[in-house]
Amino acid sequence: MQVDLIIESERVFTGTSSSATPGAVAVSGDRIVAAGPQDDVRAFAAQANTGVGSPEIRNFGDALVVPGFHDSHLHFFHSAVYSSPLATTFLGENEADCVARMQRLAERRPSGWLLAQGWREYRWNPPLLPSKHSLDQAFPDRPVALYSGDAHTLWLNSTALNELGVQRDSIPPAGGSYDRDEFGEPTGIVRESAAMELMPKIMGAFTDDEITQAYRGFLARLAKNGVTSVCDLSLMASPGLDFVRDDVHAALLARDELTARVHLFPTLTDDLGRFEGMRKRYTGPMLQAAGFKQFFDGVSSQHTAWLTEPYTNARFAEDCGRPTVNASVMRTYVLAAAEKGYPVRIHTIGDAAIHAALDILEEARCRFGALPNGRRNCLEHGENFLPSDLGRLAELQVVAAVQPPHMTLDPGGPERDLGPERTTYAWPLRTLLDKSTVLAFGTDSPVVDVNSMNVLYSAVTRQDPTTHEPAGGWLPDERIGMPEALRAYTQGSAAAAGRRRELGTLAPGMLADIAVLDHDLLTCAAEDIQKTHVLATFTGGACVFER
């Protein structure tokens, strides 16, 4: 063994304690081989390298050295496209403002589809749904598609509807809808599975070369944020529509351009063959097929999250949302995966979806035992719980994969949709940790950006990373500490990927994924968290970003 690299600092957070101390990390190949006091690590390296030269020593002074961040939940394809010149992202102030922004996009993309993501009508002034008519006036002959900020709704113009084959008499797929006006004409708003079904046709307008270049750009963005590992989750519930492009990842890996570890989670269906093929092909440390993803419900803001009791602002009698996959079908899928030892990650936002998913996972555990090799099932998002379910995740060894910036995306929304009593159990991070639940942090990019400091800021303050509201934090009793947030964003996410044994801490035997930060997050004021910059990012001991 030869030590290739030593990283030193006065502040090293290994993740094995709650503090940062002076220390060093020695790397051989892509693994950490020693960690501890600087003199001890240098002495270890000198002995290991006797007669073969000295390692490179990177001393970062008093910068904070931490395990590389791991985004436990993102959608790589759409994140890459929306952060590239191929498309644009914005919330918009209102419908007219969004149309104007699309006109600016058209100036730099003079032909083909115009694509954007990020609008949320409930945050506009006035908070009214848009329609195709405003887009038709600006773009009478060019297809335009705007994907909502929560990635559950499409806003299309007439040209786009025609190209996609959505007509007056079109029947949406199960779990989706085409909004219609009082005359039965499509308004241009397409929801849930119906929107998901159309996205591949829209994205098919881009060439593989354009997509690959977008992936390169997104990998650079991850490295700049200290993110060394991600979970690429299926975006859509239907077979063949998940946008988990293992072929693009594999091509980049073959050219040694994959600078973040990628864990693939394609859609769970009754055919496990695609996943099993990936699992056999991708066995190296950089690219693996880690498990499945499936959707159990939608989102609260659109009343498609599945609730036990009706929404507080119900739009009709028994307005409880609905499962996107029938519970009996979900049970069949999950049990089939569990029998083979494959983990499943289930999109569950409403309390009914969470409860039903836990019942299914409990049955799977009773029938087939715990998943092998440290693998974990996960519940994704987990926005509002039944009180009786708060302890069940830890009991069943289910990871709570949450995205802290989501808590304030819709100010006042939980109170509006769920009422004060249920809102008490919205994103209960502190309570879940106190019950020994493993938290895994991510962004759900492109729903929110892969800004690592925003993730940490939101978790410890429960304030919006843009507005810094509300003062004192939303449901402040559910705030968590920075050491806990760092562990959720490293070790917890590694658990969600089934790789807790080799990712998430700076310890001998672990993969050498490391981020170096210019502020000590463990001691700095909350207002300085977002002022923190990544100085360097190392994936497997290789420097993939340096400021």
Side-chain angles (χ1 to χ4, degrees), residues 195-231:
M196 296 175 181
E197 185 179 72
L198 298 179
M199 284 305 295
K201 301 175 184 178
I202 297 169
M203 291 295 188
F206 303 122
T207 67
D208 283 349
D209 286 344
E210 287 176 318
I211 296 300
T212 301
Q213 187 58 30
Y215 271 48
R216 291 190 183 99
F218 188 60
L219 284 165
R221 191 179 190 91
L222 292 169
K224 185 178 180 180
N225 279 278
V227 178
T228 56
S229 193
V230 303
C231 295

Side-chain angles (χ1 to χ4, degrees), residues 207 361 415:
T207 67
L361 293 174
E415 291 83 357

Side-chain angles (χ1 to χ4, degrees), residues 458-535:
S458 296
V460 303
T461 67
R462 293 181 73 95
Q463 293 173 274
D464 187 80
T466 301
T467 66
H468 305 127
E469 296 291 337
W474 180 67
L475 301 178
D477 289 347
E478 292 293 342
R479 290 177 297 194
I480 66 173
M482 182 58 75
E484 295 166 320
L486 287 170
R487 283 194 285 268
Y489 206 13
T490 53
Q491 299 168 37
S493 297
R499 299 188 72 181
R500 181 63 187 85
R501 297 173 182 177
E502 57 182 354
L503 291 174
T505 56
L506 304 181
M510 306 297 276
L511 286 161
D513 294 357
I514 300 167
V516 184
L517 315 176
D518 66 357
H519 281 71
D520 185 352
L521 295 175
L522 296 161
T523 60
C524 73
E527 58 265 26
D528 290 330
I529 295 172
Q530 292 176 287
K531 300 175 185 175
T532 300
H533 296 99
V534 175
L535 297 177

Side-chain angles (χ1 to χ4, degrees), residues 68 85 105 125 149 155 165 228 243 291 295 320 325 378 387 423 433 441 462 497 520 541-542:
L105 174 63
N125 185 18
W155 170 22
T228 56
F243 286 99
F295 288 76
C320 297
V325 174
C378 302
T423 298
L433 277 182
F441 281 174
R462 293 181 73 95
D520 185 352

Side-chain angles (χ1 to χ4, degrees), residues 366-419:
C366 289
R367 290 182 61 176
F368 305 113
L371 294 173
N373 303 317
R375 300 171 193 158
R376 296 286 194 99
N377 294 308
C378 302
L379 295 189
E380 307 298 314
H381 312 303
E383 292 186 13
N384 74 285
F385 285 77
L386 294 173
S388 58
D389 283 335
L390 288 167
R392 296 180 70 195
L393 283 84
E395 293 170 4
L396 299 173
Q397 294 187 318
V398 173
V399 174
V402 296
Q403 302 76 43
H406 285 199
M407 292 185 287
T408 53
L409 278 176
D410 183 11
E415 291 83 357
R416 177 193 68 224
D417 295 326
L418 304 176

Side-chain angles (χ1 to χ4, degrees), residues 15-177:
T16 57
S17 71
S18 295
S19 60
T21 57
V25 177
V27 179
S28 177
D30 63 352
R31 298 270 175 176
I32 295 171
V33 292
Q38 294 178 12
D39 289 346
D40 292 354
V41 171
R42 286 200 182 202
F44 172 88
Q47 184 175 7
N49 285 21
T50 300
V52 294
S54 301
E56 178 187 4
I57 297 178
R58 300 291 306 273
N59 189 295
F60 286 98
D62 63 354
L64 181 65
V65 175
V66 299
F69 300 128
H70 186 148
D71 196 309
S72 71
H73 184 127
L74 58 72
H75 309 289
F76 209 107
F77 183 98
H78 287 76
S79 298
V81 168
Y82 290 127
S83 61
S84 78
L86 298 174
T88 188
T89 59
F90 52 78
L91 168 64
E93 297 178 7
N94 49 46
E95 181 174 0
D97 178 53
C98 291
V99 174
R101 290 171 186 259
M102 295 305 289
Q103 289 173 314
R104 292 197 287 273
L105 174 63
E107 292 174 1
R108 75 167 194 260
R109 287 188 63 79
S111 62
W113 278 84
L114 291 173
L115 181 63
Q117 191 265 350
W119 63 276
R120 297 173 183 270
E121 87 285 352
Y122 50 83
R123 294 189 61 176
W124 289 350
N125 185 18
L128 301 175
L129 270 176
S131 78
K132 64 184 179 182
H133 301 299
S134 56
L135 291 174
D136 289 348
Q137 186 173 0
F139 305 102
D141 303 310
R142 192 171 177 189
V144 182
L146 292 89
Y147 211 23
S148 63
D150 57 27
H152 285 254
T153 306
L154 271 172
W155 170 22
L156 305 169
N157 70 344
S158 292
T159 302
L161 289 167
N162 290 334
E163 288 206 17
L164 297 169
V166 178
Q167 305 295 333
R168 181 186 178 94
D169 58 351
S170 295
I171 299 174
S177 64

